[in-house]
Amino acid sequence: MRQVQIAAGRPYEIDEGDLAPAEGSISALGYTNQPVVDVRALWAMLYRNRIAIILIVATALLIGLASILFMPRVYQASASVQVDQQTNKILGTEDTEPVVSGADADRFLQTQVDVLNSRTMAKRVSDRLGLARSDDFLTSEGAGSLDELTPAQREEKVIDALVMNLTIDLRRNSRVVGIAFKSRDPQMAARIANTYCQEYIQSNIQRKFSTGDYSRQFLQNQLGLAKDRLEASERALISYARSTRLIDASNGATAQSGEADQPRSLVTANLVQLNRALGDAKAQRLQAQQRWEQAEGVPATTLPEVLSNSAMQELLQQRAALNADLGQMRQHLQPDHPTVLRASAQLSELDRQARALGESIRNSIRNQYLTAQRQEAAISGQVNALKSDTLSEQDLGVRYNILRREVDTNRQMYESLLQRFKELSAEAGVTNNNITVVDNADVPRRPASPRPLVNMAMALIVGLGLALLYAYGREKLDDAIRDPRDVEAKLHLPLLGVIPEFSGTNLYEALDAPYSDVAEAYYAVRSSVELSSNQGLPPSLLVTSSNKGEGKSTTSYVLARDMARLGRKVLLIDADLRRPSLHRYFDMSVGSPGLSSVLARLIPASEAIRPAVDGSPAFLSSGPLPPDPANLFAGTAVKDLLAELSGEYDIVVVDAPPVMALADAVELSSAAAASIFVVEAGTAHFGQARTAVSRLLRGRGNLIGCVVTKYNARKVGYTEDSDYYNYSYTKEN
């Protein structure tokens, strides 16, 4: 939403963020932004509400005093117990809660506190002391008449009283829990506090014993059920194995091989063994095939198997020796010599034997390959046959495995329940306790309440709090403009001056007095108006306010009179055609011709104006009151009249009617060259004043500032010494 602000005597539009002055900026009044906590405004608020604050605080103190005098004396007895999460084990198998830290430990201790605060614990204490069987306890607690109570109602009231007066103190970073009880009887308070400790320990032991007994009975029942389930599952497994002729061979296989996770059936065991044999046969066949393929494509005598044969090595040695002898013979003998021919024949025979031996070894390699191939085929056929049997057996083994797993599960459950039952049976006679008494409650010698100093301090604090809350709420609900600084801070208008409240009997004499505070304040307003623009006095000046009785008529009259006394030609117009008041200053009647006659064009303005006399301004009265003044101000009649009169006078001062609920002031403000807004201190409300200013600005009125009237520093909470709007003169000055 766009708003209008005044700067340098002219209105202009600004955004919401521009309403507040920038941090550290200097306002038109010459002071910086107000601090976060305005001590002066706070003191003013307290001063304005001082009577109510004193009454509220005094009432609170009287209530505190009455509580000291009339409250019954209440005694408090305190005991304490130590709560441990874990107790010492006797057998080594007792149940203990796990040791935890942090939030879990806090929850454990808080649980114990809730147990102490429970109604069940209160009933145990009541039964232990027999509080419901007599009237002593309820009478000491001020329960009233007990004659018409039934036993159930009496017991209910006793439990309520116990719970209400019990205080459990869970100390920080400690396992010690305080148990305090308040009663009008000190002996009764000590007895109940100690009984709470004893019953708390007894209930803890009883709760643990009951839990163990219940556990044993529960385990015994579950053990019988587990035994029956185990026997039934074993019989079902054996019956199914017999009907399907499934033989479990896992125990025998594990015992022989020493390996776990062996097959459970004979078919599966045979398949596993044949599958391993098939792998070995396949490896042997591949090895033999590789040897044969290598031997098939090369001369037999070059094969490694042939060369490594001992017979072949012997033949090769003979051949080498014979070949050496033959070489020597050929050096001395002819090739056809019988000796050479015999040696050549022997060499040929050795070559033939070597070739024959190599072929024989090659044939043996081939036979090994063929044998390995046939073995692999035979084993593969058996494996395929066993695979079919195994697949058929697996269909039957699904149900068998289910039954077997059920047997194993039931056996484990039975064994664990049996072990736990043995432990609980051994612990049946052992009772562990994790709660010990630290301090027993002694009979209190002094009452715990009332405490005079505490009661009075609380009464004072509560009284001050209520008083401050009342003052703050009243200030928030009451948005009256009391401080002149609020004009610029809230209305965003320059402050032209502050008129102090007149305390005398004759305002007119005070205005004429040379050292009057009121006169000096109006002089300051006149100077502010003259300096509001660099062009001097505006040709026409309108004075208005949000409501009646705020001092706008007096302000317009005094400004016009002071300017006339300075030698200026001034005309004062009473434009309030509904409730005129300026005619009293000039001893004129309301019915004489005036502004209404001029606007109705009954007479010219020169005939209706009363001339200036002895330094007073010329005056145009309101004239006869018309039935509808808004119609007279509509159009350009007022603007034309002011333009005509501005040519004859230095300044025309117009006393306009209030802005709220009337359209007259808005029409007049748009016609006047400048406007002044008057606010009565302590009476004008911020909401109304802001609405009035907004209406004037929307009507294109030129607001040059605001005047605060009837300002009394003491009434709003400021002393005259600290108020900078007031300055006292003496004749010596």
Side-chain angles (χ1 to χ4, degrees):
M1 177 180 177
R2 306 286 289 178
Q3 294 191 7
V4 180
Q5 192 181 18
I6 299 300
R10 297 295 177 187
Y12 66 93
E13 292 186 351
I14 61 172
D15 294 329
E16 291 288 346
D18 299 330
L19 291 177
E23 184 177 356
S25 62
I26 305 299
S27 66
L29 294 178
Y31 53 84
T32 59
N33 289 338
Q34 297 183 5
V36 177
V37 179
D38 192 346
V39 179
R40 185 171 179 268
L42 181 61
W43 170 254
M45 179 190 71
L46 297 177
Y47 182 81
R48 287 193 296 271
N49 299 278
R50 60 189 181 279
I51 297 178
I53 291 175
I54 292 173
L55 290 177
I56 293 174
V57 173
T59 302
L61 291 177
L62 288 177
I63 294 175
L65 181 61
S67 67
I68 296 173
L69 296 177
F70 300 107
M71 281 181 61
R73 300 297 183 264
V74 177
Y75 297 86
Q76 176 174 304
S78 300
S80 60
V81 294
Q82 179 179 345
V83 181
D84 296 321
Q85 279 187 277
Q86 190 174 15
T87 57
N88 295 327
K89 292 185 177 181
I90 300 176
L91 298 177
T93 59
E94 296 91 338
D95 284 339
T96 58
E97 297 184 13
V99 178
V100 293
S101 59
D104 292 335
D106 294 339
R107 281 194 291 268
F108 170 76
L109 293 175
Q110 185 60 45
T111 302
Q112 303 306 311
V113 172
D114 295 339
V115 171
L116 284 168
N117 282 319
S118 64
R119 298 180 66 84
T120 301
M121 185 61 62
K123 188 177 186 308
R124 291 176 62 96
V125 173
S126 175
D127 295 342
R128 176 75 174 271
L129 297 177
L131 300 179
R133 293 192 294 270
S134 65
D135 298 340
D136 297 340
F137 175 72
L138 293 177
T139 302
S140 64
E141 297 299 324
S145 177
L146 305 176
D147 298 335
E148 298 179 358
L149 293 179
T150 63
Q153 293 175 341
R154 183 188 297 271
E155 184 177 14
E156 189 70 19
K157 291 184 71 67
V158 169
I159 293 175
D160 291 339
L162 289 174
V163 173
M164 183 181 302
N165 293 285
L166 179 67
T167 302
I168 305 300
D169 180 20
L170 180 57
R171 301 167 188 176
R172 186 177 180 84
N173 297 327
S174 174
R175 294 186 179 276
V176 176
V177 179
I179 302 175
F181 189 82
K182 294 180 180 179
S183 176
R184 299 181 184 181
D185 185 356
Q187 288 81 10
M188 180 65 70
R191 287 176 57 199
I192 292 177
N194 290 326
T195 304
Y196 258 102
C197 293
Q198 298 169 5
E199 289 300 318
Y200 177 47
I201 294 174
Q202 291 294 329
S203 67
N204 182 65
I205 296 174
Q206 183 178 358
R207 186 169 59 253
K208 291 180 179 295
F209 180 80
S210 299
T211 302
D213 184 61
Y214 173 80
S215 299
R216 289 192 304 275
Q217 294 180 0
F218 176 78
L219 284 177
Q220 188 173 6
N221 295 332
Q222 293 298 317
L223 191 61
L225 295 176
K227 182 179 179 181
D228 295 339
R229 285 196 297 268
L230 176 59
E231 293 176 353
S233 61
E234 287 178 343
R235 284 193 295 269
L237 177 63
I238 294 172
S239 299
Y240 182 77
R242 288 178 178 176
S243 64
T244 57
R245 303 185 64 82
L246 293 176
I247 300 175
D248 188 358
S250 59
N251 294 331
T254 303
Q256 292 177 4
S257 62
E259 298 179 0
D261 196 16
Q262 293 292 331
R264 292 184 177 274
S265 67
L266 290 177
V267 176
T268 305
N270 292 333
L271 178 60
V272 171
Q273 292 178 359
L274 285 177
N275 190 54
R276 292 175 183 174
L278 178 60
D280 296 339
K282 185 178 293 186
Q284 293 176 3
R285 191 264 305 169
L286 291 174
Q287 185 179 6
Q289 182 180 358
Q290 184 179 10
R291 291 174 58 195
W292 166 241
E293 290 175 354
Q294 183 180 3
E296 185 180 11
V298 297
T301 56
T302 60
L303 294 175
E305 291 83 353
V306 175
L307 295 176
S308 61
N309 188 272
S310 58
M312 179 60 70
Q313 291 177 357
E314 184 178 355
L315 289 175
L316 292 176
Q317 289 176 1
Q318 293 176 6
R319 184 179 182 281
L322 183 60
N323 193 20
D325 294 340
L326 182 61
Q328 291 178 1
M329 290 179 184
R330 287 176 178 175
Q331 292 178 359
H332 302 286
L333 299 176
Q334 292 294 327
D336 56 352
H337 191 275
T339 304
V340 174
L341 293 175
R342 188 173 51 254
S344 298
Q346 292 178 354
L347 183 61
S348 298
E349 180 64 23
L350 289 176
D351 290 337
R352 186 189 65 77
Q353 293 179 2
R355 286 192 300 271
L357 182 58
E359 289 298 331
S360 176
I361 294 175
R362 177 186 289 177
N363 291 332
S364 66
I365 294 175
R366 181 174 179 273
N367 292 332
Q368 290 177 1
Y369 164 65
L370 294 176
T371 302
Q373 190 176 27
R374 287 192 296 270
Q375 289 179 352
E376 179 186 2
I379 295 175
S380 177
Q382 294 181 2
V383 167
N384 291 331
L386 287 176
K387 283 182 179 179
S388 300
D389 295 341
T390 302
L391 292 175
S392 300
E393 188 181 63
Q394 284 179 352
D395 295 336
L396 301 174
V398 172
R399 176 62 178 169
Y400 181 86
N401 292 331
I402 293 174
L403 295 174
R404 184 61 180 264
R405 284 194 298 270
E406 185 177 358
V407 170
D408 294 339
T409 302
N410 291 335
R411 181 177 291 109
Q412 292 176 359
M413 180 66 70
Y414 177 76
E415 291 175 353
S416 61
L417 289 175
L418 182 61
Q419 179 64 27
R420 184 58 181 156
F421 181 76
K422 292 178 180 178
E423 293 175 356
L424 287 178
S425 299
E427 297 168 6
V430 179
T431 303
N432 53 359
N433 181 32
N434 60 327
I435 301 172
T436 55
V437 177
V438 177
D439 290 323
N440 287 314
D442 297 328
V443 177
R445 292 175 293 178
R446 296 180 181 178
S449 65
R451 291 183 290 178
L453 294 179
V454 175
N455 285 23
M456 294 305 294
M458 291 296 297
L460 179 61
I461 294 173
V462 172
L464 288 175
L466 293 176
L468 292 177
L469 184 62
Y470 167 80
Y472 179 77
R474 183 181 178 186
E475 289 295 319
K476 286 298 181 182
L477 295 175
D478 185 8
D479 62 344
I481 299 177
R482 295 185 177 88
D483 191 351
R485 293 180 297 180
D486 295 340
V487 170
E488 184 167 279
K490 296 181 178 180
L491 298 181
H492 304 288
L493 293 176
L495 181 63
L496 300 178
V498 180
I499 311 302
E501 184 182 24
F502 179 71
S503 58
T505 57
N506 194 331
L507 177 61
Y508 308 127
E509 293 181 0
L511 292 173
D512 292 332
Y515 300 107
S516 171
D517 294 340
V518 179
E520 291 295 338
Y522 276 115
Y523 294 157
V525 174
R526 181 198 65 199
S527 300
S528 299
V529 173
E530 293 175 347
L531 299 175
S532 62
S533 174
N534 54 9
Q535 299 177 358
L537 284 174
S540 57
L541 179 66
L542 180 134
V543 181
T544 185
S545 61
S546 58
N547 290 306
K548 63 180 182 179
E550 296 190 51
K552 63 175 181 59
S553 299
T554 303
T555 300
S556 59
Y557 169 74
V558 176
L559 288 177
R561 188 201 65 174
D562 290 346
M563 292 178 184
R565 289 181 178 180
L566 293 177
R568 292 187 176 91
K569 191 176 182 180
V570 183
L571 173 63
L572 176 62
I573 300 177
D574 190 352
D576 191 351
L577 301 185
R578 302 175 188 273
R579 299 187 59 173
S581 59
L582 290 180
H583 60 276
R584 294 194 300 266
Y585 292 101
F586 298 93
D587 296 330
M588 296 178 61
S589 62
V590 179
S592 59
L595 178 62
S596 60
S597 304
V598 174
L599 294 178
R601 291 181 174 82
L602 299 178
I603 59 173
S606 58
E607 296 182 7
I609 295 176
R610 178 184 182 276
V613 179
D614 297 333
S616 63
F619 178 62
L620 178 60
S621 66
S622 61
L625 301 182
D628 191 1
N631 291 332
L632 294 179
F633 294 138
T636 61
V638 177
K639 188 173 183 179
D640 296 340
L641 177 62
L642 292 180
E644 176 186 352
L645 296 176
S646 298
E648 300 178 8
Y649 294 92
D650 296 335
I651 183 172
V652 178
V653 180
V654 181
D655 179 24
V659 178
M660 299 303 296
L662 300 176
D664 304 356
V666 178
E667 297 287 347
L668 292 170
S669 177
S670 63
S675 301
I676 295 177
F677 191 73
V678 177
V679 174
E680 181 181 354
T683 302
H685 292 275
F686 166 62
Q688 293 181 350
R690 181 178 57 184
T691 303
V693 170
S694 299
R695 291 185 61 187
L696 293 175
L697 294 176
R698 285 196 297 269
R700 299 185 180 278
N702 182 17
L703 284 172
I704 63 173
C706 180
V707 176
V708 178
T709 61
K710 304 179 185 180
Y711 176 67
N712 190 324
R714 291 188 179 275
K715 285 185 178 181
V716 298
Y718 304 117
T719 61
E720 291 184 355
D721 295 337
S722 63
D723 182 54
Y724 53 84
Y725 299 110
N726 187 19
Y727 190 84
S728 299
Y729 286 93
T730 62
K731 293 183 178 181
E732 288 75 5
N733 295 129

